Amino acid sequence: MTSDEQTTRDQAAATTATGERADLLEALAKQRHFLRFTTRDLTDEQAGLRPTAGELCLGGLIKHVTSVERGWVGFILNGPSAMGDFTAMTEADWAQRADEFRMLPGETLAGVLADYAEEARRTDDLVATLPDLDAAWPLPKAPWFEGDAQWSARRALMHIIAETAQHAGHADIIRETLDGAKSMG
């Protein structure tokens, strides 16, 4: 599925929902489009390049956003156990997590984008069918979360949107550094 076809599918999902759900899906579809658009016309090798001072590459950003979306959808459905205890992670766990941010041998941009599209479909279906956006769970244990906070499904979905938007901005900088192409402007 091309980026344009995926954007059309995302927009269709947003138009079948109504009210707040349509707003959430529309905002998410827009940010997903910007993220995917940064990879247009790139090779697998280019998607794995790290042209800035940081560790980020375009393929890795998409892998990370896919993982984030998967984790938060799991949280919405099953609570904090779906995400694990970040305070108990080992060095090996952190190394595996770091692999989310890079293209590994054998990975392709098409494969990374297909995984993202599949996760997007899962999220969109959840937004359309979840009985209650106010349903809440305690946050998983992590040094970056307050100890006793709870997030509703709505808050988790807003976090997915924010995370996607943040990384779409990172992706735009990386793409412009690679070859001068921009998402906007």
Side-chain angles (χ1 to χ4, degrees):
M1 180 177 296
T2 68
S3 180
D4 289 340
E5 291 168 335
Q6 183 63 43
T7 298
T8 301
R9 198 212 64 77
D10 288 351
Q11 290 168 341
T15 59
T16 59
T18 59
E20 178 182 19
R21 292 168 194 266
D23 292 344
L24 290 166
L25 288 169
E26 182 180 344
L28 187 51
K30 182 177 184 177
Q31 298 312 318
R32 285 177 181 148
H33 167 75
F34 285 134
L35 180 58
R36 285 189 310 265
F37 190 64
T38 62
T39 67
R40 70 197 177 281
D41 304 323
L42 291 181
T43 65
D44 294 337
E45 180 184 1
Q46 289 170 310
L49 293 175
R50 299 181 328 219
T52 63
E55 294 288 319
L56 302 176
C57 68
L58 292 173
L61 280 172
I62 292 171
K63 284 175 56 178
H64 173 66
V65 171
T66 302
S67 177
V68 165
E69 204 164 309
R70 182 179 298 117
W72 284 107
V73 165
F75 172 83
I76 291 168
L77 293 171
N78 302 306
S81 64
M83 298 179 89
D85 180 348
F86 292 97
T87 63
M89 287 178 64
T90 66
E91 278 190 46
D93 295 330
W94 286 111
Q96 184 177 3
R97 186 172 166 90
D99 284 345
E100 285 181 9
F101 291 95
R102 60 180 67 94
M103 295 283 287
L104 300 176
E107 290 182 329
T108 64
L109 179 57
V112 168
L113 288 168
D115 289 346
Y116 187 39
E118 180 58 35
E119 198 56 46
R121 277 190 291 280
R122 181 176 177 229
T123 303
D124 291 352
D125 290 346
L126 176 66
V127 172
T129 61
L130 191 67
D132 184 6
L133 292 175
D134 290 322
W137 296 96
L139 289 172
K141 290 183 182 179
W144 49 85
F145 290 137
E146 304 140 25
D148 58 351
Q150 291 193 359
W151 277 13
S152 66
R154 176 184 296 102
R155 176 89 183 260
L157 291 167
M158 291 187 316
H159 181 74
I160 292 169
I161 294 166
E163 183 95 4
T164 305
Q166 177 182 11
H167 290 310
H170 293 145
D172 197 37
I173 292 166
I174 293 168
R175 179 61 191 259
E176 190 171 358
T177 303
L178 280 174
D179 63 6
K182 299 186 240 178
S183 296
M184 299 176 69

